[in-house]
Each structure stands twice: as C-alpha cells, then as structure tokens.
Amino acid sequence: MVQINANYLKLKAGDLVPEIGRRVAAYQAGHPDAKIIRMGIGDVTEPLPAVCVAAMHAAVDDMGRREDFRGYGPEQGYAWLREKIAARDFAARGCAIEADEIFVSDGSKCDTANILDILAPGRVNVIAVTDPVYPVYVDTNVMAGHTGEAREGAEYEGLVYLPTTAENGFAPPLSERRVDIVYLCSPNNPTGAALGRVDLERWVDYARRHETLILFDAAYEAYITDPSLPHSIYEIDGAREVAIEFRSFSKTAGFTGVRCALTVIPKTLTGTAENGERVDLHRLWMRRHTTKFNGVSYITQRAAEAVYSDEGRRQVRETIDFYMGNAKIIRKSLVALGLSVYGGVNAPYVWVKTPGGLTSWEFFDKLLGEAHVVGTPGSGFGQAGEGYFRLSSFNSRENVLEAMARLKEKVRL
Ligand code: PLP
C-alpha cells in the first residue's frame, strides 16, 4: 500500500480564501441586488505592459522560424536576461551580484517553497517566520516536515513566530531564540510595511553572528516609493554571506499569469553539512534547479527582458503609479474615517487596525453588510494579524472610488 507524506495531514485547512468565498456567497444569496466590490485581491488587475506584449509576439514569430527556433534553454535562464537583471536590479543599486548568481524561474511562490529541498529535512533547523505572514512560508515548512503539529490558536509547534504589529512598527524583532533560517518579506504582504536600512542591517548582523540564513522575499520591491529604503538585501554589507533573495515579475510587471521570477544565491553563501563541512548553497541549488526544472519559456523570458528597456521601465512605472494612486485614495479615505492606517506607501497593501476592538472577521462582516465591500481579515495571516484588516490597491480606479465612497456614507464606526 502506498504511504503518503503524513506531514500534509498536519496542515490546517487553508481556510481564509474559502471562508471569504463562503461568507460573500451567503451574503449575495440573501441580497441578490448588492453590488459587491472585492478589495481583497492579491492579483494584479491591469494588462501587461505593451513592450512585453510586443516582445512576446516577436518571440512567438522567432519560434516559428527554423533559424530562430529555441528548444530547451539554459535551466538558469538565458544570459541576456540574467545580465540585464544583474545590471539593472542589482549593480545599479550598488549590489555586487553577478549574472551567474541569478536563477530565472516560473515563480517566487515555487522558489520560496523549493528552496527547502537543499536545506536539512526534518526538525534540524530552527525556522522563524513573521506573524502575520505570507502563508506559503509556513505551509511549505509543514509539508517538508520542519514543524510539529498545529497548536490551539493556529501556530505550528516548532516554528518561531516573530510578531509584527503597530507596537513594533511592523519590523520583525530579532529572535531571542537562535534561529537557523528566517523569512523576511519587504515590502510586506500583508502589512504593507517596508523595512529600512537599519532594520535590515540589524538582521544581517544577527545572521552573521548566529550563522542564520535569511530568505528575503522582495516580490513587492517595485512598489517602494521612499528613496531611502533598500530594494535588495544585498544593499546591506555582508548580506552576500547570509541571504538568498527572491524576486518576481508578477507584481512588478503584471506577470501573475505569465509566470517569471528569479532567485539570487550568491556564491559566497554556505551552509553546514552533517560533518561540519561548509558547503556552497549556490552549487546545491544549481544541482536542484538543473535536475528538477527545465527553464522558463523563451517567449516569457523575452517578455521579462522587455521590462528592462527604457520604454519598459516607463510602462512598468506607470502601472505601479496607478496602483499606488489607488493606495493613496484608500489610505486617505480610511484616515478620514478616523481609522489607524498602515502600509500603502511602499507596498500595494493597506493594513488597517479594526476599530472599537472588533475582530478581523467582525470587521469583515461589517464592511460586507454595510458597504458591500470585501477585504481580507488580518487574522487569516496569523494570530498577530488579529484586529487588523488588509485592503488591496489592485483594482480599477472606479471600484476603489466607489468602495471608499460607500465606506464614508454607509459604515458606522
Ligand atoms: N511572495 C509574496 C510575498 C507574495 O505575496 C506573492 C504573491 O502574492 C508571491 C511571493 C508569489 O509570487 P509569484 O507570482 O512569483 O509566484
């Protein structure tokens, strides 16, 4: 009889999205005329930049000509793409990252999950996540057998949770318990907070002192508007020895349905083998990537390359400015309602403190019932997200304006 990976049985039901769907469907059934506006969307809503569409068309034509046809490409990604990434995303910001330290992939979700393949199985490493957290980091560690069972109150035994709340400015505190791995996401999903240079220096220093590996998720770096904030962990001295960085074209250039991302593993980064020997993580990831992955399609990589042209950068900026315009409207409207509002300045997510001691779900029901507006309860991202609520700026301007007008007119706080 086939034996299953029993770690999967430890997973708590991913109840956030289905529960939102259930409550919205129930409300709509009872109020068929209600025009519900979804402000919880974690996906982009604007079309691809025109330069990317043109590059894809041209690449399709290439594939139809014998002389330009491409079959399997390099698993790591074409050099012409990796060189542009190294130059524009890293060298331009003073980061010493070489093109061959970059691995192009089909998504950061997969990369943040797959990286666990090259780290010790079982409960060997002590792993820290922030609370609230992008749930993929937690669930993939559960699947890999890195945790114990889920405890009452939704935390997994064996993981270290670092609460990020208004009280600490949404900056994860250094773990009191020594950890081997820490996930940092900046700008953050869901809190919308972006870590400053001092926050990152503190973590890099911690990692160097404790031989901790930082898994740095910069999926939303393109949304940073404050020029003083780092976009990459490698802007911090010493990070090359302690950090892996994940980036994605999903939110930068609207590639959620195209699929392209990248992971940086500096050649100076090592882990420890059972016998104490230092081993290159780059080498291990290269082995994993070339064995289990056959590369991102040529057409997609040409689209990603187009993002780095002058016109591509202008078009990407324009779309991000549009979303950030939405974020500004959301922030302003919520502040005018007297709410405590965070995020939405260097990230597409606005994070609101629920008023009057309401739980995240109580506030969800209130907005749905009174304004027909749907957001995401903060408690769905972790215990420390209780009492918060996420609104997303990924939406049409029309929807954002209508939703905010309804909050002003209809919601009694
Ligand atoms: N990392 C964070 C923090 C995200 O919020 C998301 C998507 O919502 C991803 C990674 C996934 O990116 P990708 O589309 O490249 O898989």
Tab-separated table of all heavy atoms in Angstrom, residues 94-136:
chain	number	residue	atom	x	y	z
A	94	GLY	N	24.076	49.317	-6.433
A	94	GLY	CA	25.314	49.103	-5.689
A	94	GLY	C	25.471	47.698	-5.129
A	94	GLY	O	26.278	47.474	-4.226
A	95	CYS	N	24.698	46.744	-5.655
A	95	CYS	CA	24.789	45.367	-5.144
A	95	CYS	C	25.720	44.556	-6.056
A	95	CYS	O	25.527	44.543	-7.272
A	95	CYS	CB	23.430	44.673	-5.144
A	95	CYS	SG	22.146	45.593	-4.313
A	96	ALA	N	26.664	43.879	-5.425
A	96	ALA	CA	27.632	43.090	-6.198
A	96	ALA	C	27.056	41.703	-6.472
A	96	ALA	O	27.438	40.724	-5.841
A	96	ALA	CB	28.929	42.989	-5.412
A	97	ILE	N	26.115	41.640	-7.390
A	97	ILE	CA	25.509	40.349	-7.754
A	97	ILE	C	25.831	40.064	-9.217
A	97	ILE	O	25.563	40.875	-10.098
A	97	ILE	CB	23.967	40.391	-7.529
A	97	ILE	CG1	23.636	40.539	-6.037
A	97	ILE	CG2	23.283	39.155	-8.130
A	97	ILE	CD1	24.099	39.394	-5.134
A	98	GLU	N	26.449	38.916	-9.460
A	98	GLU	CA	26.828	38.540	-10.821
A	98	GLU	C	25.654	37.846	-11.510
A	98	GLU	O	24.829	37.202	-10.847
A	98	GLU	CB	28.015	37.568	-10.792
A	98	GLU	CG	29.259	38.112	-10.113
A	98	GLU	CD	29.853	39.309	-10.838
A	98	GLU	OE1	29.727	39.373	-12.085
A	98	GLU	OE2	30.407	40.198	-10.159
A	99	ALA	N	25.649	37.931	-12.853
A	99	ALA	CA	24.557	37.316	-13.617
A	99	ALA	C	24.450	35.814	-13.317
A	99	ALA	O	23.346	35.260	-13.266
A	99	ALA	CB	24.773	37.548	-15.106
A	100	ASP	N	25.593	35.158	-13.092
A	100	ASP	CA	25.504	33.706	-12.869
A	100	ASP	C	25.162	33.344	-11.413
A	100	ASP	O	25.178	32.176	-11.045
A	100	ASP	CB	26.766	32.986	-13.362
A	100	ASP	CG	27.986	33.360	-12.555
A	100	ASP	OD1	27.883	34.246	-11.675
A	100	ASP	OD2	29.056	32.766	-12.806
A	101	GLU	N	24.838	34.353	-10.621
A	101	GLU	CA	24.299	34.076	-9.274
A	101	GLU	C	22.770	34.150	-9.286
A	101	GLU	O	22.128	33.979	-8.248
A	101	GLU	CB	24.891	35.064	-8.262
A	101	GLU	CG	26.398	34.855	-8.085
A	101	GLU	CD	27.058	35.839	-7.142
A	101	GLU	OE1	26.827	37.062	-7.283
A	101	GLU	OE2	27.838	35.401	-6.269
A	102	ILE	N	22.210	34.421	-10.481
A	102	ILE	CA	20.762	34.598	-10.628
A	102	ILE	C	20.162	33.360	-11.311
A	102	ILE	O	20.696	32.888	-12.311
A	102	ILE	CB	20.479	35.852	-11.493
A	102	ILE	CG1	20.968	37.104	-10.750
A	102	ILE	CG2	18.997	35.968	-11.850
A	102	ILE	CD1	21.070	38.344	-11.619
A	103	PHE	N	19.071	32.883	-10.769
A	103	PHE	CA	18.349	31.748	-11.358
A	103	PHE	C	16.954	32.226	-11.750
A	103	PHE	O	16.173	32.620	-10.888
A	103	PHE	CB	18.202	30.612	-10.336
A	103	PHE	CG	19.500	29.977	-9.921
A	103	PHE	CD1	20.285	30.563	-8.937
A	103	PHE	CD2	19.942	28.797	-10.515
A	103	PHE	CE1	21.485	29.984	-8.549
A	103	PHE	CE2	21.141	28.212	-10.130
A	103	PHE	CZ	21.914	28.804	-9.144
A	104	VAL	N	16.664	32.181	-13.053
A	104	VAL	CA	15.336	32.585	-13.518
A	104	VAL	C	14.400	31.382	-13.353
A	104	VAL	O	14.787	30.234	-13.618
A	104	VAL	CB	15.403	33.043	-14.997
A	104	VAL	CG1	14.017	33.355	-15.537
A	104	VAL	CG2	16.319	34.260	-15.119
A	105	SER	N	13.184	31.667	-12.890
A	105	SER	CA	12.242	30.569	-12.629
A	105	SER	C	10.835	30.993	-13.021
A	105	SER	O	10.634	32.093	-13.536
A	105	SER	CB	12.264	30.209	-11.145
A	105	SER	OG	11.493	31.166	-10.442
A	106	ASP	N	9.870	30.122	-12.740
A	106	ASP	CA	8.489	30.439	-13.121
A	106	ASP	C	7.663	30.953	-11.950
A	106	ASP	O	6.446	30.974	-12.018
A	106	ASP	CB	7.812	29.232	-13.781
A	106	ASP	CG	7.758	28.035	-12.854
A	106	ASP	OD1	8.318	28.116	-11.735
A	106	ASP	OD2	7.173	27.017	-13.232
A	107	GLY	N	8.299	31.380	-10.881
A	107	GLY	CA	7.510	31.992	-9.813
A	107	GLY	C	8.221	31.998	-8.476
A	107	GLY	O	8.945	31.067	-8.141
A	108	SER	N	7.961	33.046	-7.726
A	108	SER	CA	8.558	33.125	-6.389
A	108	SER	C	7.862	32.204	-5.398
A	108	SER	O	8.452	31.779	-4.417
A	108	SER	CB	8.446	34.553	-5.846
A	108	SER	OG	9.450	35.342	-6.377
A	109	LYS	N	6.583	31.926	-5.670
A	109	LYS	CA	5.896	31.002	-4.763
A	109	LYS	C	6.629	29.659	-4.794
A	109	LYS	O	6.967	29.102	-3.752
A	109	LYS	CB	4.437	30.822	-5.167
A	109	LYS	CG	3.654	29.999	-4.170
A	109	LYS	CD	2.305	29.618	-4.705
A	109	LYS	CE	1.204	30.279	-3.917
A	109	LYS	NZ	-0.121	29.731	-4.210
A	110	CYS	N	6.905	29.179	-6.016
A	110	CYS	CA	7.616	27.893	-6.146
A	110	CYS	C	9.016	27.996	-5.543
A	110	CYS	O	9.464	27.087	-4.851
A	110	CYS	CB	7.776	27.484	-7.601
A	110	CYS	SG	6.411	27.899	-8.645
A	111	ASP	N	9.708	29.099	-5.817
A	111	ASP	CA	11.091	29.203	-5.342
A	111	ASP	C	11.175	29.229	-3.819
A	111	ASP	O	12.033	28.558	-3.233
A	111	ASP	CB	11.753	30.466	-5.910
A	111	ASP	CG	12.130	30.323	-7.383
A	111	ASP	OD1	12.017	29.208	-7.921
A	111	ASP	OD2	12.530	31.331	-7.988
A	112	THR	N	10.280	30.007	-3.186
A	112	THR	CA	10.347	30.070	-1.719
A	112	THR	C	9.997	28.703	-1.112
A	112	THR	O	10.451	28.366	-0.031
A	112	THR	CB	9.405	31.154	-1.127
A	112	THR	OG1	8.080	30.919	-1.576
A	112	THR	CG2	9.840	32.549	-1.509
A	113	ALA	N	9.212	27.937	-1.850
A	113	ALA	CA	8.876	26.582	-1.388
A	113	ALA	C	10.016	25.604	-1.691
A	113	ALA	O	10.450	24.839	-0.830
A	113	ALA	CB	7.596	26.108	-2.068
A	114	ASN	N	10.514	25.665	-2.925
A	114	ASN	CA	11.509	24.685	-3.370
A	114	ASN	C	12.856	24.821	-2.686
A	114	ASN	O	13.621	23.854	-2.609
A	114	ASN	CB	11.705	24.800	-4.884
A	114	ASN	CG	10.481	24.340	-5.653
A	114	ASN	OD1	9.712	23.514	-5.150
A	114	ASN	ND2	10.294	24.864	-6.849
A	115	ILE	N	13.149	26.012	-2.189
A	115	ILE	CA	14.462	26.228	-1.563
A	115	ILE	C	14.675	25.247	-0.405
A	115	ILE	O	15.796	24.879	-0.067
A	115	ILE	CB	14.598	27.710	-1.084
A	115	ILE	CG1	16.062	28.064	-0.867
A	115	ILE	CG2	13.773	28.002	0.151
A	115	ILE	CD1	16.882	28.128	-2.116
A	116	LEU	N	13.542	24.783	0.160
A	116	LEU	CA	13.642	23.858	1.299
A	116	LEU	C	14.288	22.539	0.881
A	116	LEU	O	14.828	21.823	1.723
A	116	LEU	CB	12.256	23.625	1.912
A	116	LEU	CG	11.565	24.887	2.432
A	116	LEU	CD1	10.212	24.546	3.042
A	116	LEU	CD2	12.440	25.615	3.444
A	117	ASP	N	14.266	22.226	-0.420
A	117	ASP	CA	14.893	20.993	-0.918
A	117	ASP	C	16.364	20.884	-0.550
A	117	ASP	O	16.892	19.789	-0.392
A	117	ASP	CB	14.834	20.960	-2.460
A	117	ASP	CG	13.584	20.301	-2.996
A	117	ASP	OD1	12.650	20.074	-2.213
A	117	ASP	OD2	13.563	20.005	-4.208
A	118	ILE	N	17.051	22.046	-0.503
A	118	ILE	CA	18.512	21.976	-0.275
A	118	ILE	C	18.867	22.215	1.193
A	118	ILE	O	20.038	22.308	1.538
A	118	ILE	CB	19.286	22.962	-1.190
A	118	ILE	CG1	18.912	24.423	-0.895
A	118	ILE	CG2	19.073	22.628	-2.670
A	118	ILE	CD1	19.893	25.439	-1.495
A	119	LEU	N	17.850	22.317	2.033
A	119	LEU	CA	18.094	22.511	3.470
A	119	LEU	C	17.737	21.221	4.207
A	119	LEU	O	16.992	20.386	3.679
A	119	LEU	CB	17.277	23.706	3.972
A	119	LEU	CG	17.567	25.007	3.197
A	119	LEU	CD1	16.625	26.125	3.597
A	119	LEU	CD2	19.021	25.439	3.367
A	120	ALA	N	18.277	21.073	5.396
A	120	ALA	CA	18.144	19.789	6.104
A	120	ALA	C	16.681	19.403	6.302
A	120	ALA	O	15.858	20.255	6.661
A	120	ALA	CB	18.837	19.879	7.454
A	121	PRO	N	16.345	18.142	6.046
A	121	PRO	CA	14.972	17.701	6.273
A	121	PRO	C	14.700	17.561	7.780
A	121	PRO	O	15.621	17.545	8.586
A	121	PRO	CB	14.920	16.335	5.578
A	121	PRO	CG	16.322	15.858	5.532
A	121	PRO	CD	17.220	17.073	5.552
A	122	GLY	N	13.427	17.442	8.097
A	122	GLY	CA	13.046	17.214	9.495
A	122	GLY	C	13.205	18.464	10.333
A	122	GLY	O	13.188	19.575	9.835
A	123	ARG	N	13.386	18.242	11.646
A	123	ARG	CA	13.357	19.361	12.587
A	123	ARG	C	14.766	19.835	12.938
A	123	ARG	O	15.009	20.328	14.051
A	123	ARG	CB	12.599	18.937	13.854
A	123	ARG	CG	11.203	18.372	13.628
A	123	ARG	CD	10.156	19.460	13.615
A	123	ARG	NE	10.083	20.159	14.887
A	123	ARG	CZ	9.297	19.816	15.895
A	123	ARG	NH1	8.510	18.763	15.788
A	123	ARG	NH2	9.277	20.521	17.013
A	124	VAL	N	15.708	19.709	12.005
A	124	VAL	CA	17.102	20.050	12.298
A	124	VAL	C	17.287	21.556	12.438
A	124	VAL	O	17.913	22.039	13.383
A	124	VAL	CB	18.022	19.500	11.178
A	124	VAL	CG1	19.462	19.930	11.399
A	124	VAL	CG2	17.908	17.984	11.107
A	125	ASN	N	16.753	22.309	11.473
A	125	ASN	CA	16.901	23.771	11.508
A	125	ASN	C	15.768	24.412	12.318
A	125	ASN	O	14.619	23.968	12.239
A	125	ASN	CB	16.856	24.333	10.084
A	125	ASN	CG	18.114	23.998	9.307
A	125	ASN	OD1	19.229	24.183	9.791
A	125	ASN	ND2	17.943	23.480	8.101
A	126	VAL	N	16.121	25.455	13.060
A	126	VAL	CA	15.090	26.241	13.745
A	126	VAL	C	14.690	27.367	12.791
A	126	VAL	O	15.543	28.115	12.303
A	126	VAL	CB	15.624	26.825	15.069
A	126	VAL	CG1	14.535	27.660	15.753
A	126	VAL	CG2	16.107	25.705	15.979
A	127	ILE	N	13.392	27.441	12.509
A	127	ILE	CA	12.913	28.328	11.446
A	127	ILE	C	12.002	29.406	12.022
A	127	ILE	O	11.074	29.106	12.778
A	127	ILE	CB	12.162	27.496	10.383
A	127	ILE	CG1	13.158	26.505	9.760
A	127	ILE	CG2	11.541	28.383	9.309
A	127	ILE	CD1	12.524	25.350	9.054
A	128	ALA	N	12.278	30.654	11.629
A	128	ALA	CA	11.457	31.773	12.112
A	128	ALA	C	10.687	32.408	10.962
A	128	ALA	O	11.216	32.569	9.857
A	128	ALA	CB	12.340	32.829	12.770
A	129	VAL	N	9.443	32.728	11.247
A	129	VAL	CA	8.610	33.490	10.306
A	129	VAL	C	8.024	34.672	11.066
A	129	VAL	O	7.940	34.646	12.297
A	129	VAL	CB	7.446	32.644	9.722
A	129	VAL	CG1	7.961	31.535	8.835
A	129	VAL	CG2	6.549	32.103	10.828
A	130	THR	N	7.621	35.682	10.317
A	130	THR	CA	6.942	36.791	10.981
A	130	THR	C	5.476	36.407	11.175
A	130	THR	O	4.970	35.479	10.558
A	130	THR	CB	7.034	38.084	10.146
A	130	THR	OG1	6.406	37.853	8.894
A	130	THR	CG2	8.475	38.499	9.941
A	131	ASP	N	4.819	37.124	12.049
A	131	ASP	CA	3.391	36.921	12.297
A	131	ASP	C	2.740	38.293	12.332
A	131	ASP	O	3.086	39.086	13.214
A	131	ASP	CB	3.216	36.194	13.637
A	131	ASP	CG	1.744	35.952	13.976
A	131	ASP	OD1	0.876	36.239	13.115
A	131	ASP	OD2	1.474	35.497	15.100
A	132	PRO	N	1.876	38.667	11.364
A	132	PRO	CA	1.334	37.869	10.275
A	132	PRO	C	2.371	37.556	9.194
A	132	PRO	O	3.416	38.188	9.127
A	132	PRO	CB	0.228	38.770	9.715
A	132	PRO	CG	0.678	40.162	10.047
A	132	PRO	CD	1.352	40.048	11.380
A	133	VAL	N	1.993	36.591	8.329
A	133	VAL	CA	2.965	36.064	7.361
A	133	VAL	C	2.274	35.661	6.065
A	133	VAL	O	1.091	35.280	6.075
A	133	VAL	CB	3.695	34.857	7.991
A	133	VAL	CG1	2.753	33.693	8.240
A	133	VAL	CG2	4.880	34.394	7.140
A	134	TYR	N	3.019	35.741	4.959
A	134	TYR	CA	2.572	35.154	3.683
A	134	TYR	C	2.493	33.638	3.924
A	134	TYR	O	3.516	33.012	4.233
A	134	TYR	CB	3.601	35.523	2.610
A	134	TYR	CG	3.405	34.947	1.238
A	134	TYR	CD1	2.198	35.070	0.551
A	134	TYR	CD2	4.460	34.292	0.598
A	134	TYR	CE1	2.047	34.562	-0.724
A	134	TYR	CE2	4.318	33.781	-0.689
A	134	TYR	CZ	3.104	33.921	-1.341
A	134	TYR	OH	2.960	33.408	-2.602
A	135	PRO	N	1.311	33.040	3.859
A	135	PRO	CA	1.119	31.679	4.383
A	135	PRO	C	1.972	30.594	3.715
A	135	PRO	O	2.201	29.543	4.308
A	135	PRO	CB	-0.374	31.400	4.118
A	135	PRO	CG	-1.010	32.732	3.896
A	135	PRO	CD	0.050	33.637	3.360
A	136	VAL	N	2.474	30.868	2.514
A	136	VAL	CA	3.269	29.866	1.790
A	136	VAL	C	4.514	29.453	2.582
A	136	VAL	O	4.892	28.273	2.597
A	136	VAL	CB	3.671	30.423	0.400
A	136	VAL	CG1	4.649	29.509	-0.313
A	136	VAL	CG2	2.424	30.652	-0.453
